[in-house]
Amino acid sequence: MGVFGKGPAAMEAASTLATGGHDRVGRVETRGVEFIPESERLSRPRDLGWVFFGGQLCYGAILVGALPLAWGLSWWGAFSAIVTGSVLGSLGFAAVAVIGPKTGTNATVTSCAFFGIRGRYVGSLITQVIALGFFGLQLWVSTPPLVATAARLWGTTQGPVALTVGLALVAGLVLAVNALGHATLVALAKVTTVTNIFSMAALLACAALAWQGAPATAAAPTPYLLGGFWPTWALATMVQISNAISYAPFASDYTRYMPARTPDRVLFGWGLFGMVAGTVVSLSCGAFIAYAVGDATNVLSRMTAAVPGALLLPVVAVGLIGNVTNAAMNVYNGTLDLHAVLWRLRRVEVSFLYGAAGIVLGWLGLVVFDMTSSTEALCSLVTVLVTPWIAITTIGYWRAGRHFAVEELQAFGGRRGRYWYQGGYDLRAVGAWAVGVAVGLMFAGTDLYTGPLASLASGVDLSFASSALVGGTLYAVLGRPAGGAPRERGKPSA
């Protein structure tokens, strides 16, 4: 990095000479959050669809898809909540995806235009925690089926040692893919799309053959978690919205490798298609499997038990590919956001630091403590932090006329350029974000924290929706075009 005060052409030449820029399948990606020259942008909008379709086909999605059944909804109630929530959340994802080609970097660095050069720490730290939490969850849901399969086929134990070995195997695969980077991830997502469609089909068939009927509900006056259909359906829908929109800060990690001339409408369409199709297919499979095996709270163990011995190894092995792909995406996303802070290091160095933290979290949660519910609650709270950031970034993008001084986004060394604002922060954007978060936390209701207004909507989680609405509205009213007065596209500031 460090190409400051130069036009895009000079920056392109300097960035190309800096590292040589490798992004090929099976080779270590040399770029991090620095500007990607046009000569290296070989990705296309359909690749975004592949990545976020294939990346959803994993065991974690089966767990999330089973939640509406566990809360008392019928199959059709669960399916309608999944479709509605996935579409609404994917709109936010697709809206952010179009920014990457304009800046040639990830969303955290792009947010410098709206939050300030130092204000990028807001997005960086939030998205790191989201990615780290979901990496831990992927390790937890990937390891037990692997260990259970080995025990069923070869009579091995399922204790702490076996779990540790299984977790190490999964984590090793994830870190290897993450170290290779963008091109390898995109290629693996394409493979995963094909293989996991067959794997999901096999799991659906096995679950149907082991049909147990609708999941039993708790002995209570009503089977619904929140006492009625519509409040419970609204809660399930909000969870699906949160699931899809949580990927929004990471979309530019892939679109930064697309040419700057990529049409917004085409990229928006592929992003929307990939995320909607991926979430609806995978979550609906989870809901159906939970319905068929009759147990939405232990769906993974019941699902594995329903698979015949002859099919168990190939089905679980193929499923593992999907889990590794999804987990590698999370680690890759978190690595780039951490690289925006530790920008003096190489991306691959940062990737192993970040991966080590995820492995420790995964091991503690799976082998030592039962941290699963707490981490899910933490991710829910972090969604409250990230949704107003997404809203401000999207509004700022359109307010700036979809143009950026891309060289000024990379001014990490402290040079006071166009996006320096006040002490490195745009206090209007940071203030709008902080107020949005404060309002959202008042509506939050999790195992870790319950806000004073959590019960206002009959138990429906309005936390991240209220934070996005308030933060986005405040920024729309109080904010200003990125970098002050509009400038000619690509012209460096004085």
Side-chain angles (χ1 to χ4, degrees):
M1 292 180 208
V3 186
F4 309 131
K6 301 179 180 180
M11 190 174 182
E12 166 108 6
S15 184
T16 302
L17 291 173
T19 65
H22 296 301
D23 182 41
R24 296 290 186 273
V25 178
R27 297 183 63 181
V28 175
E29 177 192 6
T30 57
R31 298 291 185 192
V33 294
E34 64 265 35
F35 176 76
I36 306 295
E38 282 287 330
S39 58
E40 297 176 22
R41 300 194 194 185
L42 304 178
S43 195
R44 294 294 180 264
R46 62 178 176 272
D47 292 331
L48 184 68
W50 280 109
V51 168
F52 286 95
F53 179 87
Q56 304 305 314
L57 303 176
C58 59
Y59 292 157
I62 292 176
L63 285 179
V64 176
L67 287 177
L69 275 296
W71 295 339
L73 293 181
S74 65
W75 155 253
W76 288 111
F79 180 73
S80 62
I82 287 170
V83 172
T84 304
S86 295
V87 170
L88 293 177
S90 297
L91 288 170
F93 166 83
V96 176
V98 303
I99 301 177
K102 304 298 187 300
T103 62
T105 187
N106 76 336
T108 294
V109 176
T110 298
S111 72
C112 292
F114 319 118
F115 289 86
I117 294 297
R118 291 175 175 168
R120 75 185 188 279
Y121 297 144
V122 173
S124 177
L125 295 179
I126 293 169
T127 51
Q128 286 171 49
V129 174
I130 290 179
L132 193 64
F134 281 112
F135 176 38
L137 287 175
Q138 277 299 330
L139 291 178
W140 293 334
V141 301
S142 301
T143 304
L146 197 64
V147 172
T149 298
R152 184 173 164 187
L153 293 178
W154 302 302
T156 56
T157 64
Q158 300 188 57
V161 174
L163 290 173
T164 301
V165 172
L167 186 144
L169 173 62
V170 175
L173 293 172
V174 169
L175 294 187
V177 174
N178 173 54
L180 293 173
H182 172 264
T184 302
L185 265 173
V186 173
L188 186 59
K190 294 178 180 179
V191 173
T192 300
T193 298
V194 177
T195 59
N196 272 27
I197 285 176
F198 288 103
S199 177
M200 285 287 186
L203 290 173
L204 289 173
C206 293
L209 291 174
W211 183 270
Q212 298 294 322
T217 54
T222 174
Y224 298 115
L225 179 68
L226 298 183
F229 172 81
W230 288 113
T232 304
W233 184 88
L235 174 64
T237 302
M238 296 298 280
V239 168
Q240 311 310 325
I241 293 174
S242 177
N243 175 66
I245 205 171
S246 67
Y247 287 93
F250 310 130
S252 291
D253 296 349
Y254 305 93
T255 61
R256 77 193 205 279
Y257 271 104
M258 297 179 189
R261 65 180 182 277
T262 302
D264 282 3
R265 65 182 183 280
V266 176
L267 186 51
F268 182 92
W270 275 106
L272 183 65
F273 170 77
M275 182 58 72
V276 170
T279 51
V280 169
V281 169
S282 59
L283 297 173
S284 297
C285 286
F288 179 82
I289 291 170
Y291 195 83
V293 301
D295 190 347
T297 58
N298 298 292
V299 62
L300 288 181
S301 59
R302 294 294 298 274
M303 175 191 74
T304 305
V307 179
L311 296 177
L312 187 59
L313 186 59
V315 168
V316 172
V318 170
L320 180 62
I321 297 175
N323 294 334
V324 168
T325 302
N326 186 277
M329 287 171 59
N330 286 317
V331 179
Y332 181 73
N333 301 335
T335 294
L336 286 177
D337 286 307
L338 183 57
H339 193 215
V341 177
L342 305 178
W343 52 275
R344 298 182 189 276
L345 300 178
R346 293 185 302 161
R347 182 198 65 85
V348 70
E349 295 170 340
V350 177
S351 72
F352 286 110
L353 290 175
Y354 193 85
I359 291 173
V360 171
L361 175 63
W363 185 77
L364 289 174
L366 182 65
V367 181
V368 181
F369 306 108
D370 182 12
M371 296 170 54
T372 306
S373 61
S374 296
T375 303
E376 289 173 341
L378 178 62
C379 291
S380 177
L381 290 175
V382 171
T383 306
V384 175
L385 306 181
V386 79
T387 45
W389 180 84
I390 293 171
I392 291 169
T393 298
T394 304
I395 293 170
Y397 171 65
W398 287 100
R399 175 172 280 170
R402 303 182 298 159
H403 296 159
F404 297 88
V406 293
E407 68 279 7
E408 296 288 349
L409 294 173
Q410 303 283 339
F412 299 157
R415 187 178 77 77
R416 301 190 177 189
R418 177 175 179 177
Y419 300 130
W420 185 253
Y421 299 110
Q422 298 90 32
Y425 300 90
D426 184 345
L427 298 181
R428 292 176 175 85
V430 175
W433 170 81
V435 173
V437 168
V439 172
L441 289 176
M442 295 177 70
F443 287 93
T446 70
D447 295 337
L448 295 179
Y449 169 80
T450 300
L453 301 180
S455 61
L456 192 64
S458 302
V460 178
D461 186 359
L462 298 179
S463 56
F464 71 89
S466 60
S467 66
L469 179 62
V470 172
T473 301
L474 279 177
Y475 181 68
V477 174
L478 301 176
R480 58 186 170 187
R487 299 172 185 265
E488 182 180 345
R489 183 178 182 182
K491 188 175 182 178
S493 57

